[in-house]
Amino acid sequence: MVGQGNIKTEDLNLCFEKLMMFASASGGSASVGGKMKMEGRVMITDWKDIPIELLLQILALVDDQTVITASGVCSGWRDAVCLGLTRLSLSWCTKNMNSLVLSLAPKFTRLQTLILRQDHKPQLQDNAVESIANFCHDLQVLDLSKSFKLSDRSLYALAHGCPNLTKLNISGCSAFSDIALEYLAGFCRKLEVLNLCGCVRSASDRALQAIGHYCSQLQSLNLGWCEDVSDVGVMCLAHGCPDLRTVDLCGCVLISDDSVIALANRCPHLQSLDLYYCKNITDRAMYSLAQSVVKNKPAAMWESRKARNDEEGLRTLNISQCTALTPSAVQAVCDSFPALHTCSGRHSLIISGCLKLTSVHCACAVQAHRTANAFPHSAHGTNERGLG
């Protein structure tokens, strides 16, 4: 058995036999032409008797290891899997993942989501990704995170074979080059979510310029710890991808206020921004974020937005270790976006490591503080009245 699963065809057949025994024991059954008949209806007595529509419903209820096993039970199961399986995860496979992908890709041609995350020893190689690209042309979501063995061959193959990708996770794939990523962006223009965390070679300004040029539908981008990214790349993204909602720039030590200002001015739907350890960020960036709420918007539109409370605007902001920021600038951001919280249990404005910012509080934290201060006095007065 490939991977860590221990499910066998015999196990599935045994389950089926028990099911039939239960049906027979329930009474009113008779055998007709090898099939079981109950109250005038012919019952199923073998896997091959199950309609493919029912097989598809059964497949939707079992785990991925069982699906793979079921594909080898009989032609009916195999056809059902090949025709109906649209999502598959092999992250559970701790050995021989590459061989498993090579054997499954030609069968599961209608896959739309494929998760190949490797949390243990990296196994996936370029020939497996090339097989995916050759057979799974409907693929929309692909997770190749921590695939340290992959090279540019994989990105070139995906560019040609999977142009409908909307979500791609290649975080930790440190061998990819920016030339290959630039090439991919030119073909996969429907990308909405792209995770490049730790892709230190591929996530360059050159690649980001290509992404900004071709991938205008991009909504989420993770550039965590891509140390070569500078303002040039981020500004190209902001101009070319106006629908960006989530941007992770943690550890991008070269970026400055210009990157944040470009995102604030060009991406009106921005909801999450991670600037952890971006030491060059100053108050100028914070005031730009605060002002972006009402900038170039009519008064009526601003009132409408306030009525909707926090449906729009920043919901998460991480400025930890941004030690150049002052309380007044960060408080301005907090006041502008009601969804940013510093109160206990709702930390969405993250300021750890910024000792100067301890005075920054969201509205509900201030209210909670006032209530806490008022409560003891009220209780004391009540006790006194009771004693009197």
Side-chain angles (χ1 to χ4, degrees):
M1 182 66 184
V2 179
Q4 66 180 16
N6 195 30
I7 301 172
K8 299 179 180 179
T9 301
E10 292 80 3
D11 298 330
L12 291 172
N13 288 331
L14 181 60
C15 291
F16 185 87
E17 289 173 6
K18 289 181 179 179
L19 180 64
M20 292 301 99
M21 288 174 63
F22 174 80
S24 178
S26 63
S29 62
S31 180
V32 178
K35 294 184 179 182
M36 191 174 294
K37 189 174 183 180
M38 179 180 288
E39 297 180 356
R41 296 183 180 180
V42 176
M43 291 183 59
I44 297 167
T45 60
D46 203 303
W47 290 118
K48 66 178 183 297
D49 300 324
I50 303 178
I52 193 169
E53 295 81 7
L54 180 55
L55 291 177
L56 290 174
Q57 294 184 40
I58 294 173
L59 286 174
L61 301 175
V62 299
D63 58 56
D64 293 309
Q65 297 178 56
T66 305
V67 168
I68 294 171
T69 304
S71 66
V73 171
C74 65
S75 60
W77 275 116
R78 184 175 63 251
D79 293 342
V81 171
C82 293
L83 291 174
L85 188 67
T86 59
R87 186 191 188 282
L88 181 66
S89 173
L90 299 180
S91 295
W92 48 267
C93 186
T94 57
K95 58 182 179 180
N96 300 323
M97 179 190 281
N98 203 71
S99 299
L100 186 58
V101 172
L102 287 171
S103 66
L104 295 179
K107 302 176 185 178
F108 301 166
T109 57
R110 299 197 177 184
L111 282 176
Q112 296 179 12
T113 299
L114 181 57
I115 309 300
L116 300 174
R117 181 181 179 88
Q118 297 163 87
D119 290 320
H120 305 283
K121 182 180 178 181
Q123 309 169 58
L124 213 59
Q125 299 177 24
D126 289 322
N127 60 343
V129 178
E130 288 171 337
S131 183
I132 294 168
N134 287 334
F135 293 102
C136 305
H137 301 301
D138 295 333
L139 204 60
Q140 298 177 18
V141 179
L142 179 61
D143 187 342
L144 298 174
S145 53
K146 300 184 179 181
S147 298
F148 304 123
K149 291 184 177 182
L150 298 183
S151 73
D152 287 351
R153 280 173 51 192
S154 291
L155 293 189
Y156 288 129
L158 291 173
H160 290 287
C162 303
N164 296 314
L165 283 174
T166 59
K167 297 181 180 180
L168 178 62
N169 186 348
I170 54 174
S171 60
C173 298
S174 53
F176 292 149
S177 71
D178 57 351
I179 298 175
L181 182 57
E182 177 186 15
Y183 189 83
L184 177 82
F187 287 85
C188 299
R189 302 188 180 194
K190 298 179 182 179
L191 280 173
E192 297 177 2
V193 179
L194 181 59
N195 191 336
L196 302 174
C197 181
C199 297
V200 292
R201 290 188 61 227
S202 58
S204 67
D205 288 338
R206 171 177 177 168
L208 297 187
Q209 286 174 322
I211 293 170
H213 181 72
Y214 295 115
C215 305
S216 60
Q217 300 178 46
L218 197 65
Q219 297 182 16
S220 176
L221 179 63
N222 190 333
L223 293 171
W225 305 106
C226 296
E227 297 178 352
D228 291 335
V229 170
S230 76
D231 291 332
V232 173
V234 177
M235 291 171 70
C236 287
L237 284 170
H239 282 75
C241 307
D243 204 27
L244 276 172
R245 297 157 191 257
T246 301
V247 180
D248 191 334
L249 297 171
C250 72
C252 296
V253 294
L254 297 181
I255 69 165
S256 70
D257 294 336
D258 291 339
S259 290
V260 179
I261 292 171
L263 291 169
N265 292 337
R266 306 290 299 193
C267 304
H269 305 295
L270 191 65
Q271 296 178 353
S272 178
L273 181 61
D274 195 331
L275 299 171
Y276 172 76
Y277 211 77
C278 296
K279 297 281 191 176
N280 297 325
I281 301 300
T282 72
D283 288 353
R284 183 166 159 253
M286 294 298 102
Y287 284 121
S288 178
L289 285 172
Q291 294 166 5
S292 68
V293 180
V294 294
K295 194 172 185 178
N296 298 323
K297 291 183 180 179
M301 191 180 224
W302 168 237
E303 290 300 324
S304 174
R305 184 199 173 278
K306 286 199 297 183
R308 293 195 301 271
N309 197 7
D310 57 0
E311 289 183 7
E312 297 179 359
L314 278 177
R315 299 179 183 181
T316 304
L317 177 62
N318 187 350
I319 49 175
S320 298
Q321 303 299 330
C322 296
T323 52
L325 299 176
T326 64
S328 58
V330 178
Q331 188 65 60
V333 177
C334 195
D335 293 341
S336 298
F337 299 104
L340 290 179
H341 293 279
T342 59
C343 50
S344 178
R346 303 179 68 185
H347 287 289
S348 56
L349 176 59
I350 306 168
I351 55 177
S352 59
C354 301
L355 299 179
K356 292 189 297 183
L357 303 182
T358 54
S359 62
V360 176
H361 295 291
C362 61
C364 54
V366 173
Q367 182 60 38
H369 180 71
R370 290 173 178 171
T371 302
N373 287 340
F375 183 76
H377 299 291
S378 176
H380 179 68
T382 302
N383 291 337
E384 285 184 340
R385 287 193 295 272
L387 290 172

